[in-house]
């Protein structure tokens, strides 16, 4: 039931979105964005899964399988695993940017409440 | 309207928490997005679906074209080498953003004569030029005291005897955590280096870089900033990161020069499963290790090391609002903080 993973990823994404939309605390907004980001990791890893498959490594095929079995697709999807791998690293750096901006805003306004950020209000 | 006055004005207006419009709109939008996502994901490939063409293509060329067993690494540094290049410089852009956001205010230069005017004013306030002029000296002294606070309390967290009554004065954590960190750091570092140099040949520079940065985080958590400061100084880490970025560019350009394609392999392929397997992918992986490890280290320690550049009071009469912590912060901020404006 890999569809359950897909739906769980969708629900996680929407919980993060709901946090971003309904919370005014900047730290909670960053947490919501991180949750949305993490939901995509779950989605990609779930999409890479194949039943009765093995890792996409062309060494020592398991019993009953040959290199031809591996090369011809009896493995998890390596492209999506690659997407997930790089997305995690980029996500850490982007979260650091969000948090740095939140700290600077807090120092400038002495508040982490987004409703207090009124400098651009006409 | 000044920022402070604008905040006060905003606080007098009806707040969102007083009504339900924000949760209602939030739930409605999130529910709509969830409905769209559920409709979309039911058509995604299931566990029994065949691999997409690009994945099968990567499986087929990994051994003959790149001489490597690890297909994910082949995709990261080979089939998607150009994309990885873009992602790497996205990481670099994020690091530059963090460094820019977190650095302390810089003195103004001679752009419109402000520096000259500042010198005249400084001459009036501090004729001797030795910083003995009142408030500025106090602010400077307070900042120095704050920076040296940890060292004054506990020069070395290991010197704090067991059973010392609270409050905890050590910059690091308890002896249990410190010993645990020492034990854990070694295998994490060895595993990261193994993954970097070997892995399934070639190694995985991306995860290895994140793992070695984890060692620095573990040591920081257990021992405090002073223990890792020598290893994470910007003067050391930033040049190394730029060297990693330049190496990645060079590897790509040599591919263009020798094989008419960015990041094409121009080295002789070694036997799969050996340390030189993968041709230029091993070099790319090593450079990526340097880039990721130093980039994440700079980003995280810049964030952790942000100074207390709080905006100065406009009216100076709200000290009771912020408590003692904020008043300490303000005392160390005598020169204001125009960086955030």
């Amino acid at each position: 039931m890999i569809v359950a993973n897909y739906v769980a990823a969708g629900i996680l994404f929407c919980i993060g979105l709901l946090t971003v939309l309904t919370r005014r605390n900047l730290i909670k907004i960053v947490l919501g964005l991180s949750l949305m980001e993490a939901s995509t990791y779950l989605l990609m890893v779930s999409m890479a899964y194949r039943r009765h498959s093995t890792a996409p490594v062309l060494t020592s095929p398991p019993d009953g399988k040959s290199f031809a079995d591996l090369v011809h697709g009896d493995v998890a999807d390596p492209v999506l695993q690659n997407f997930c791998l790089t997305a995690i690293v980029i996500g850490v750096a982007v979260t650091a940017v969000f948090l740095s901006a939140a700290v600077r805003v807090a120092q400038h306004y002495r508040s982490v409440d987004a409703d207090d950020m009124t400098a651009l209000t006409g | 309207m000044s920022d402070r006055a604008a905040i006060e004005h905003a606080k007098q207006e009806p707040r969102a928490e007083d009504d339900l419009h924000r949760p209602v709109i939030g739930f409605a939008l999130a529910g709509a997005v969830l409905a769209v996502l559920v409709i979309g994901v039911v058509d995604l490939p299931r566990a029994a679906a065949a691999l997409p063409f690009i994945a099968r293509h990567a499986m087929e060329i990994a051994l003959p074209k790149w001489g490597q067993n690890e297909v994910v690494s082949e995709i990261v540094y080979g089939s998607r080498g150009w994309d990885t290049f873009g992602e790497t410089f996205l990481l670099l852009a994020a690091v530059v953003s963090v460094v820019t956001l977190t650095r302390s205010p810089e003195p103004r230069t001679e752009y419109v004569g402000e520096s000259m005017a500042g010198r005249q004013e400084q001459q009036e306030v501090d004729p001797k030029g030795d910083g003995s002029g009142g408030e500025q000296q106090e602010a400077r002294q307070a900042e120095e005291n704050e920076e040296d606070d940890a060292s004054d309390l506990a020069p070395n967290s290991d010197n704090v005897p067991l059973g010392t009554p609270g409050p905890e004065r050590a910059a690091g954590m308890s002896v249990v955590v410190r010993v645990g960190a020492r034990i854990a750091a070694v295998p994490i570092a060895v595993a990261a280096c193994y993954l970097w140099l070997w892995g399934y040949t070639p190694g995985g520079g991306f995860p290895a870089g994140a793992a070695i940065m984890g060692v620095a985080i573990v040591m920081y958590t257990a021992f405090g900033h002073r223990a890792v400061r020598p290893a994470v100084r910007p003067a050391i880490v930033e040049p190394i990161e730029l060297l990693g970025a330049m190496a990645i560019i060079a590897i790509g350009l040599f591919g263009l020069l020798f094989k008419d394609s960015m990041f094409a392999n121009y080295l002789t392929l070694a036997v799969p499963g050996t340390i030189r397997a993968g041709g230029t992918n091993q070099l790319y992986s090593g450079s990526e290790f340097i880039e990721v490890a130093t980039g994440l280290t700079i980003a995280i320690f810049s964030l952790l090391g942000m100074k207390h550049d709080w905006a100065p009071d406009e009216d100076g009469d709200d000290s009771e609002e912020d408590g003692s912590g904020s008043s300490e912060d303000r005392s160390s901020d005598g020169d204001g903080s125009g960086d955030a404006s």
Side-chain angles (χ1 to χ4, degrees):
Chain A
M1 279 299 290
I2 201 67
V3 175
N5 285 37
Y6 298 162
V7 174
I11 292 172
L12 271 181
F13 183 89
C14 290
I15 292 173
L17 179 63
L18 188 64
T19 306
V20 172
L21 292 173
T22 59
R23 300 289 140 183
R24 294 191 308 276
N25 186 305
L26 294 180
I27 303 299
K28 290 180 181 175
I29 290 174
V30 174
L31 287 176
L33 289 169
S34 293
L35 195 57
M36 293 166 73
E37 190 182 288
S39 72
T40 62
Y41 308 154
L42 175 60
L43 181 67
M44 286 191 283
V45 169
S46 302
M47 287 174 65
Y49 171 76
R50 292 292 183 277
R51 190 176 298 123
H52 306 305
S53 67
T54 183
V57 177
L58 303 177
T59 55
S60 307
D63 292 339
K65 293 186 185 299
S66 64
F67 276 110
D69 293 329
L70 299 180
V71 170
H72 289 99
D74 202 6
V75 295
D77 189 340
V79 177
L80 289 166
Q81 292 188 351
N82 160 38
F83 288 162
C84 194
L85 184 71
T86 51
I88 290 171
V89 174
I90 303 297
V92 172
V94 171
T95 303
V97 175
F98 288 152
L99 289 174
S100 305
V103 171
R104 274 292 180 236
V105 165
Q107 289 179 342
H108 184 69
Y109 287 97
R110 299 201 181 190
S111 170
V112 289
D113 189 336
D115 276 359
D116 290 341
M117 318 302 156
T118 55
L120 295 179
T121 304
Chain B
M1 183 182 292
S2 67
D3 293 340
R4 196 74 183 165
I7 292 173
E8 293 304 322
H9 177 71
K11 284 179 177 176
Q12 291 169 4
E13 292 181 343
R15 301 297 294 257
E17 63 194 11
D18 296 332
D19 53 44
L20 292 173
H21 83 274
R22 193 187 295 264
V24 168
I25 293 174
F27 272 102
L29 283 175
V33 171
L34 180 61
V36 171
L37 287 178
V38 169
I39 292 169
V41 297
V42 293
D43 282 338
L44 286 177
R46 305 296 175 85
L51 284 181
F53 169 76
I54 185 67
R56 279 186 279 120
H57 175 70
M59 296 288 295
E60 287 166 3
I61 67 169
L63 271 172
K65 185 176 178 183
W66 294 96
Q68 61 184 84
N69 301 318
E70 164 67 300
V71 183
V72 176
S73 279
E74 184 277 317
I75 295 171
V76 174
Y77 307 116
S79 301
R80 286 189 69 243
W82 180 248
D83 296 340
T84 304
F85 175 77
E87 288 167 353
T88 303
F89 282 82
L90 184 66
L91 172 67
L92 186 62
V95 171
V96 170
S97 302
V98 173
V99 170
T100 306
L101 282 167
T102 57
R103 70 181 177 185
S104 297
E106 293 177 352
R108 295 190 175 192
T109 57
E110 305 256 4
Y111 188 54
V112 287
E114 291 155 326
S115 182
M116 191 181 300
R119 274 201 297 272
Q120 291 174 355
E121 189 176 343
Q122 181 71 19
Q123 182 64 25
E124 294 171 4
V125 175
D126 182 17
K128 296 178 183 176
D130 58 357
S132 59
E135 290 183 7
Q136 188 176 9
Q137 188 191 17
E138 288 178 17
R140 197 171 293 156
Q141 187 63 42
E143 188 168 2
E144 288 172 1
N145 289 343
E146 186 180 358
E147 288 180 355
D148 295 338
D149 199 30
S151 58
D152 291 343
L153 289 174
N156 184 342
S157 51
D158 281 342
N159 293 341
V160 178
L162 288 175
T164 302
E168 177 65 66
R169 300 179 69 213
M173 300 187 79
S174 72
V175 66
V176 176
V177 178
R178 296 201 301 269
V179 171
R182 279 198 170 102
I183 293 172
V186 176
I188 295 174
V190 171
C193 291
Y194 174 82
L195 193 57
W196 161 34
L197 293 170
W198 198 274
Y200 284 101
T201 63
F206 251 100
I212 203 76
M213 189 272 300
V215 175
I217 295 291
V218 166
M219 300 307 280
Y220 168 81
T221 305
F223 296 96
H225 190 253
R226 293 183 70 246
V228 294
R229 189 183 296 165
V232 300
R233 275 186 301 149
I236 294 177
V237 207
E238 288 177 2
I240 295 175
E241 189 200 15
L242 292 179
L243 282 177
M246 289 169 65
I248 292 171
I249 294 171
I251 291 166
L253 288 179
F254 280 132
L256 189 63
L257 188 65
F258 298 133
K259 294 286 183 180
D260 297 332
S261 172
M262 283 286 281
F263 296 106
N265 177 45
Y266 46 86
L267 297 178
T268 307
L269 292 179
V271 177
T274 61
I275 197 168
R276 289 180 53 244
T280 54
N281 281 3
Q282 181 70 299
L283 298 178
Y284 197 169
S285 171
S287 305
E288 202 68 60
F289 167 80
I290 296 170
E291 179 67 21
V292 170
T294 53
L296 292 182
T297 300
I298 292 170
I300 291 176
F301 281 95
S302 296
L303 180 59
L304 292 172
M306 284 181 78
K307 289 188 179 296
H308 292 188
D309 295 323
W310 294 86
D313 284 334
E314 289 187 353
D315 47 10
D317 60 355
D318 62 347
S319 57
E320 68 277 5
E321 292 178 9
D322 300 323
S324 57
S326 297
S327 61
E328 284 178 12
D329 297 334
R330 285 192 296 278
S331 70
S332 65
D333 188 38
D335 59 346
S337 60
D339 61 311
S341 59

